[in-house]
Amino acid sequence: MINRNPQLNKHRKLQHLLTTEELPAAILLQILNTAETFVGVTERDVKKVPLLRGKSIFNLFFEPSTRTRTTFEIAAKRLSADVFNLNIAVSAQSKGETLLDTVNNLAAMDADMFVVRHAQSGAAHLIAKHARPGIHVINAGDGRHAHPTQALLDMFTIRRFKHEFHNLRVAIIGDILHSRVARSQIHALTTLGVPEVRVIAPKTLLPNNVERLGVRVFHDMNSGLENIDVLMMLRLQKERMQGAYLPSSEEYFKNYGLTPEKLSMARPDAIVMHPGPMNRGVEIDSAVADGGQSVILPQVTFGIAIRMAVMSILAGQQV
Ligand code: CP
């Protein structure tokens, strides 16, 4: 059989985690189910298991990160791996070394796994394509393209609070155009059987032909939030915007910022999610971010178990 999915090996097992696109439901569920076992580990007094003892994991973050980098490091340490955080600012990248040369040099130090965040879409794919056999690459966010572990921790959070996927209406709200998180969420939600995924945004913040991803498009919060079970908020990614996409942040908040009044358009038991970092007063009001329907901090906590699951599955070491 020809294997066209670069993240699966010839046995259709996970070799790298690069995107949720075309990842079979069985693998998504394997990761979610494995993460359930690690939630138990993270709740114990001794939070360590020896599954990745002796393995070397390199965190290569070429873009800023708080949640992803830290939870990958915690996850690797809880699996007893040796973790190395490359300090990009003082690395030889500043002397003109290419990405692949940097990675090849780290591979020569017996790296087993690379966790990569990069501003260029496709950076993790490039490393995976050139990595020697046996090395695993995890995409921790590349450009506008994909952020698969974020989408997986989001799916885990939804399943924890809503139990099933097949009866949900989910809305993703905000800057879909520049969001790698939104793309990864849409692929994961549709693969896991969510029957209705909506995107709510001004036209300027939606990709062309976004409907082809299997979503319903709304430009208005009142109609878009009707009967919604899960709201996934996104920030305006100003660092990826060239030119003016919006009249002002104030105007955006008036129309798309999630306030208690707008949240009341959704189902009364709806949950509010946000991948972070949040811009309070731009896409979300503090009363909602810190309110009873917010599951934003549990998302962060579940990120540790999800990242433990991904790394242990890649290394072929599951509990
Ligand atoms: N959600 C997310 O990727 O956050 P960080 O940029 O802090 O890693």
Side-chain angles (χ1 to χ4, degrees):
M1 189 203 307
I2 299 171
N3 180 12
R4 293 183 199 286
N5 191 333
Q7 45 193 349
L8 302 182
N9 65 20
K10 63 182 184 208
H11 305 294
R12 310 267 313 152
K13 301 262 192 241
L14 206 59
Q15 172 70 20
H16 307 289
L17 180 66
L18 305 175
T19 167
T20 52
E21 189 174 0
E22 295 182 11
L23 212 53
I27 288 187
L28 296 178
L29 290 169
Q30 179 193 15
I31 295 169
L32 299 189
N33 295 340
T34 306
E36 289 288 354
T37 66
F38 286 126
V39 168
V41 171
T42 62
E43 286 169 352
R44 295 197 312 226
D45 278 349
V46 179
K47 296 179 173 29
K48 274 195 184 246
V49 286
L51 292 175
L52 264 62
R53 187 183 285 158
K55 301 284 184 195
S56 296
I57 298 180
F58 283 74
N59 276 334
L60 312 181
F61 279 67
F62 296 89
E63 257 195 354
S65 167
T66 297
R67 283 145 288 267
T68 313
R69 199 197 62 73
T70 312
T71 54
F72 262 114
E73 181 170 351
I74 293 169
K77 286 179 172 168
R78 288 192 180 168
L79 292 167
S80 306
D82 297 318
V83 188
F84 304 91
N85 294 305
L86 189 69
N87 187 341
I88 303 298
V90 294
S91 75
Q93 289 263 311
S94 60
K95 300 180 199 165
E97 188 170 70
T98 67
L99 176 62
L100 286 181
D101 278 336
T102 299
V103 167
N104 285 338
N105 277 271
L106 298 174
M109 301 173 202
D110 287 333
D112 294 292
M113 219 174 274
F114 290 116
V115 179
V116 183
R117 169 166 292 190
H118 204 286
Q120 292 296 323
S121 297
H125 280 73
L126 181 76
I127 295 171
K129 189 172 161 198
H130 292 277
R132 64 165 163 69
I135 288 189
H136 306 283
V137 179
I138 302 174
N139 183 1
D142 63 326
R144 300 182 187 189
H145 173 239
H147 193 349
T149 57
Q150 177 66 47
L152 282 158
L153 74 87
D154 293 337
M155 298 308 110
F156 188 89
T157 306
I158 291 174
R159 195 171 73 166
R160 272 277 169 136
F161 285 93
K162 293 288 168 192
H163 313 295
E164 304 276 358
F165 293 107
H166 71 263
N167 55 358
L168 295 180
R169 287 193 183 91
V170 177
I172 305 172
I173 301 143
D175 182 2
I176 316 287
L177 179 65
H178 300 100
S179 177
R180 55 195 176 209
V181 173
R183 279 169 189 72
S184 291
Q185 288 170 333
I186 292 167
H187 292 306
L189 289 164
T190 51
T191 302
L192 290 169
V194 171
E196 186 172 344
V197 182
R198 301 180 189 173
V199 290
I200 310 175
K203 281 190 184 127
T204 51
L205 293 182
L206 285 169
N208 288 335
N209 302 316
V210 67
E211 300 87 349
R212 285 193 198 156
L213 297 176
V215 297
R216 288 183 68 192
V217 176
F218 291 79
H219 301 299
D220 165 68
M221 289 285 264
N222 288 358
S223 51
L225 289 180
E226 203 175 349
N227 286 322
I228 283 294
D229 301 285
V230 179
L231 294 82
M232 306 175 98
M233 305 306 298
L234 299 172
R235 78 183 167 91
L236 298 175
Q237 304 223 353
K238 290 190 175 155
E239 74 275 23
R240 295 187 217 287
M241 293 184 186
Q242 282 151 2
Y245 286 77
L246 298 162
S248 68
S249 297
E250 293 75 22
E251 184 74 10
Y252 180 80
F253 182 69
K254 198 169 102 193
N255 291 314
Y256 295 97
L258 189 62
T259 56
E261 295 72 37
K262 292 202 193 84
L263 179 56
S264 69
M265 312 285 176
R267 289 177 60 90
D269 60 348
I271 56 171
V272 176
M273 304 174 65
H274 195 308
M278 280 190 284
N279 289 145
R280 292 167 184 260
V282 180
E283 75 274 5
I284 192 163
D285 191 292
S286 283
V288 176
D290 305 326
Q293 289 170 260
S294 169
V295 297
I296 294 169
L297 291 179
Q299 281 177 266
V300 178
T301 306
F302 294 144
I304 298 172
I306 280 291
R307 289 169 176 132
M308 289 173 83
V310 169
M311 288 192 278
S312 64
I313 290 169
L314 287 174
Q317 300 290 329
Q318 290 173 66
V319 278

